């Protein structure tokens, strides 16, 4: 079903799809949607009705739950409930919080069903410069494109930040974008109902949602991508066949006339615009982007949006990309490093697990340390990160040393006697079969730019 929808959408850019509601209500669609909801980490977190996935499975039964949900959808009695608001700290230890909206299990299943049907349609329209919350795409692809563009002369960067993007998207503008592809009024009413469902705050008060799509909803990232694709299309228009930047010859002609070329790289609501031109050209693009965002109800953050040269370095998705001279030579290259914020973040997690007064089982501590550090290292292993990995290994080793010495009241001499071989070599920290892993052993490799070679789920059959 998804493969057909995607193929039809790709074949006809002006096609509007009708009778999608029956696909949303199809028992097979709802079953797949429930499985995806049950497989998420938030399955144990209830909405305002207090129901979790486990309780649905044990108290109601999945077939009965989905049957009732399908009947309410088909007879028109289904109404989304307000999302439960939770404030969660933003990553990086900044002290700021992010609003997270938690829908009920029933609402999550319907949102997942809508996503199953709508995503392959809109994926046919999305530009290849968008990487966030899309099938078979990842943050490393966005970083690889920035690296490639910087290497090819795009050295001025508009480091842009949209102020409260998920909270301020204009509902009318979003629904207009959805209507460009969806004709089925029942599906349109369902999407709008989720946008207008409201929020139950942590203090217990009800708040209407006049704008925005709450973070935490399964459908929210897709709706945000649909909205922001307006910006992608605007900035990518000159790159389309026949456009002013569509060929190498045309781009060279522009440069010869002193005119800039540019490219956007976007990951959800975070994006950079890289410019082969001057600072003035980049500042002019900032004003142009602000005009494109205004009808969508969005605006750039004056405090966080800046124009920088790649030689100064720019942070994006936890990486720091910088154009700099290679040590010992006069040649300049674009390098990708690990930003300071994710290093601080992972160190904070290590500290929390290895407090001196901690009485947690050593095996549990080592297992959690391995899980946290390996996941972090595999994300950053395509950066210039070997020294960073060694430094984090050293940091973690000393944290475990201080924890064990305090716990067992060992002197340094006693600790050394217990944790070295007769020849004086240090032993790895271990508890049973669990051993503290060293992330410096993870290979650091270059992530190759895939560009237009990134496959589409519904063509390769991997949906």
């Amino acid at each position: 079903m998804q493969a057909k929808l995607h193929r039809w959408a790709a074949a006809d850019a002006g096609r509007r799809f009708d009778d999608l509601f029956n696909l949303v209500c199809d028992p097979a669609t709802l079953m797949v949607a429930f499985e995806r909801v049950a497989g998420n980490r938030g399955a144990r977190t209830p909405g305002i009705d207090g129901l979790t996935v486990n309780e649905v499975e044990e108290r109601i039964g999945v077939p009965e739950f989905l049957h009732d949900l399908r009947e309410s959808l088909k007879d028109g009695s289904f109404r989304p409930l307000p999302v439960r608001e939770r404030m969660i700290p933003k990553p990086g230890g900044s002290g700021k919080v992010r609003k997270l909206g938690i829908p009920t299990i029933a609402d999550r299943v319907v949102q997942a069903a809508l996503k199953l049907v709508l995503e392959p349609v809109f994926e046919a329209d999305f530009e290849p410069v968008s990487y966030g919350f899309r099938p078979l795409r990842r943050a490393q692809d966005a970083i690889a494109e920035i690296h490639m563009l910087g290497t090819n002369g795009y050295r001025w960067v508009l480091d842009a930040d949209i102020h409260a993007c998920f909270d301020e998207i204009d509902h009318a503008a979003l629904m207009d974008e959805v209507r460009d592809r969806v004709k089925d009024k029942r599906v349109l009413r369902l999407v709008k109902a989720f946008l207008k469902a409201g929020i139950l705050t942590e203090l217990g008060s009800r708040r209407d949602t006049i704008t925005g799509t709450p973070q935490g909803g399964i459908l929210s990232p897709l709706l945000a991508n649909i909205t922001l694709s307006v910006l992608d299309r605007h900035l990518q228009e000159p790159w389309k066949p026949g456009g002013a930047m569509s060929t190498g010859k045309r781009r060279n002609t522009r440069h010869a006339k002193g005119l800039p070329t540019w490219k956007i790289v976007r990951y959800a609501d975070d994006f950079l615009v890289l410019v082969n031109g001057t600072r003035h050209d980049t500042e002019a693009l900032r004003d142009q982007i602000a005009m494109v965002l205004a009808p969508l109800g969005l605006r750039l953050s004056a405090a966080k949006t800046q124009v920088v040269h790649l030689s100064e370095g720019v942070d994006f998705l936890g990486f720091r990309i910088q154009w700099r001279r290679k040590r010992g030579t006069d040649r300049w290259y674009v390098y990708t490093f690990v930003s300071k914020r994710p290093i601080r973040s992972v160190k904070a997690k290590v500290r929390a697990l290895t407090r001196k007064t901690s009485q947690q089982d050593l095996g549990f501590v080592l297992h959690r340390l391995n899980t946290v550090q390996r996941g972090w290292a595999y994300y950053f292993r395509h950066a210039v990160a070997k020294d960073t990995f060694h430094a984090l290994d050293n940091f973690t080793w000393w944290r475990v040393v201080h924890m064990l010495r305090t716990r067992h009241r060992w002197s340094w001499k006693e600790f050394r006697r217990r944790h070295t071989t007769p020849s004086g070599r240090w032993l790895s920290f271990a508890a049973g079969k669990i051993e503290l892993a060293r992330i410096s052993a993870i290979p650091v490799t270059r992530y190759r730019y895939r560009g237009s070679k990134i496959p589409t789920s519904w063509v390769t059959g991997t949906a």
Side-chain angles (χ1 to χ4, degrees):
M1 177 268 287
Q2 287 186 314
K4 286 181 178 179
L5 288 173
H6 182 75
R7 185 167 66 249
W8 293 335
D12 184 357
R15 178 168 180 169
R16 296 182 69 211
F17 288 80
D18 202 354
D19 201 25
L20 294 178
F21 188 74
N22 287 331
L23 293 177
V24 174
C25 297
D26 188 278
T29 306
L30 292 174
M31 178 56 74
V32 173
F34 183 85
E35 289 172 354
R36 295 197 176 183
V37 169
N40 289 341
R41 284 191 302 173
R44 293 175 293 179
T45 307
I48 65 170
D49 61 355
L51 207 60
T52 65
V53 167
N54 285 340
E55 290 173 329
V56 168
E57 293 173 338
E58 294 170 6
R59 286 170 39 194
I60 304 173
V62 175
E64 292 79 6
F65 174 80
L66 294 181
H67 177 268
D68 293 344
L69 185 58
R70 182 169 185 263
E71 290 301 313
S72 67
L73 284 168
K74 290 186 76 68
D75 64 23
S77 63
F78 175 82
R79 295 289 184 275
L81 293 174
V83 298
R84 182 164 68 90
E85 186 178 69
R86 281 191 61 189
M87 299 294 186
I88 60 171
K90 286 188 175 182
S94 62
K96 297 180 180 178
V97 294
R98 174 183 288 129
K99 296 177 182 177
L100 188 69
I102 304 171
T104 63
I105 298 300
D107 290 351
R108 281 180 239 179
V109 172
V110 177
Q111 286 193 33
L114 278 169
K115 184 172 183 286
L116 285 168
V117 173
L118 296 179
E119 187 175 51
V121 172
F122 286 97
E123 272 290 323
D125 299 333
F126 289 160
E127 297 291 337
V129 294
S130 166
Y131 294 98
F133 303 109
R134 295 185 59 191
L136 304 182
R137 289 167 173 260
R138 55 181 76 98
Q140 286 78 6
D141 287 312
I143 299 301
E145 178 154 7
I146 295 167
H147 190 283
M148 182 275 295
L149 291 169
T151 301
N152 286 281
Y154 290 75
R155 306 265 162 72
W156 281 102
V157 181
L158 175 63
D159 183 5
D161 182 87
I162 300 176
H163 181 267
C165 177
F166 281 83
D167 296 332
E168 296 188 357
I169 290 175
D170 184 80
H171 288 172
L174 169 55
M175 291 305 299
D176 285 343
E177 290 298 313
V178 176
R179 285 190 195 96
D180 282 347
R181 276 302 201 173
V182 179
K183 191 176 180 181
D184 193 325
K185 291 184 178 180
R186 294 169 297 177
V187 171
L188 292 172
R189 279 197 296 267
L190 205 50
V191 173
K192 190 171 183 178
F194 279 114
L195 292 175
K196 300 294 186 183
I199 295 170
L200 187 69
T201 69
E202 289 186 321
L203 298 177
S205 61
R206 168 76 183 267
R207 188 171 76 242
D208 292 334
T209 45
I210 308 301
T211 60
T213 172
Q215 292 189 66
I218 293 173
L219 197 58
S220 294
L222 175 61
L223 296 179
N225 270 336
I226 291 171
T227 305
L228 292 173
S229 65
V230 174
L231 176 63
D232 300 340
R233 290 197 302 269
H234 177 82
L235 292 179
Q236 286 299 108
E237 189 62 33
W239 289 83
K240 298 293 176 62
M245 307 178 197
S246 57
T247 65
K249 183 178 179 180
R250 292 187 176 186
R251 292 192 291 273
N252 290 336
T253 301
R254 285 181 64 86
H255 295 151
K257 293 179 179 179
L259 298 174
T261 55
W262 59 81
K263 204 78 179 281
I264 182 175
V265 178
R266 185 173 66 82
Y267 191 94
D269 59 330
D270 295 326
F271 68 92
L272 300 180
V273 180
L274 292 96
V275 180
N276 189 344
T278 65
R279 183 185 188 93
H280 176 74
D281 297 327
T282 313
E283 290 172 345
L285 272 174
R286 177 176 57 191
D287 297 336
Q288 188 181 138
I289 288 169
M291 291 176 63
V292 175
L293 292 176
L296 305 175
L298 302 175
R299 55 200 168 96
L300 294 175
S301 169
K304 296 181 181 178
T305 300
Q306 56 181 341
V307 174
V308 296
H309 195 269
L310 209 55
S311 59
E312 303 171 49
V314 61
D315 290 344
F316 191 63
L317 303 178
F319 294 88
R320 183 165 186 80
I321 304 107
Q322 189 171 13
W323 185 58
R324 59 192 294 179
R325 184 175 60 82
K326 184 179 180 180
R327 248 183 315 186
T329 72
D330 290 328
R331 295 186 176 185
W332 288 63
Y333 297 93
V334 177
Y335 292 92
T336 303
F337 304 97
V338 184
S339 297
K340 292 180 179 179
R341 177 179 286 186
I343 294 175
R344 289 198 302 267
S345 178
V346 74
K347 282 186 174 180
K349 291 178 181 178
V350 171
R351 287 191 187 97
L353 288 167
T354 56
R355 289 192 173 94
K356 291 182 181 180
T357 55
S358 172
Q359 295 302 311
Q360 288 181 320
D361 177 71
L362 180 59
F364 172 81
V365 172
L366 297 180
H367 171 73
R368 289 292 299 137
L369 285 172
N370 288 345
T371 301
V372 167
Q373 293 197 113
R374 276 178 174 159
W376 187 91
Y378 273 103
Y379 179 83
F380 288 108
R381 69 190 178 102
H382 301 298
V384 182
K386 203 67 178 178
D387 289 345
T388 303
F389 288 178
H390 277 292
L392 281 171
D393 276 339
N394 191 49
F395 173 80
T396 304
W397 189 85
W398 279 108
R399 289 292 304 181
V400 176
V401 167
H402 294 321
M403 182 187 74
L404 292 177
R405 285 189 61 196
T406 302
R407 177 180 295 185
H408 300 290
R409 300 180 182 178
W410 287 331
S411 65
W412 176 251
K413 183 176 181 181
E414 176 67 10
F415 177 83
R416 187 178 176 87
R417 183 184 69 79
R418 290 173 176 270
H419 290 86
T420 56
T421 64
S423 61
R425 291 179 63 87
W426 285 104
L427 296 169
S428 297
F429 294 120
K433 294 182 179 180
I434 303 173
E435 185 176 318
L436 180 64
R438 297 185 65 83
I439 60 173
S440 55
I442 295 174
V444 172
T445 59
R446 173 81 175 273
Y447 189 90
R448 297 295 175 181
Y449 171 60
R450 297 193 292 165
S452 59
K453 296 179 182 178
I454 300 176
T456 302
S457 293
W458 305 285
V459 174
T460 60
T462 55

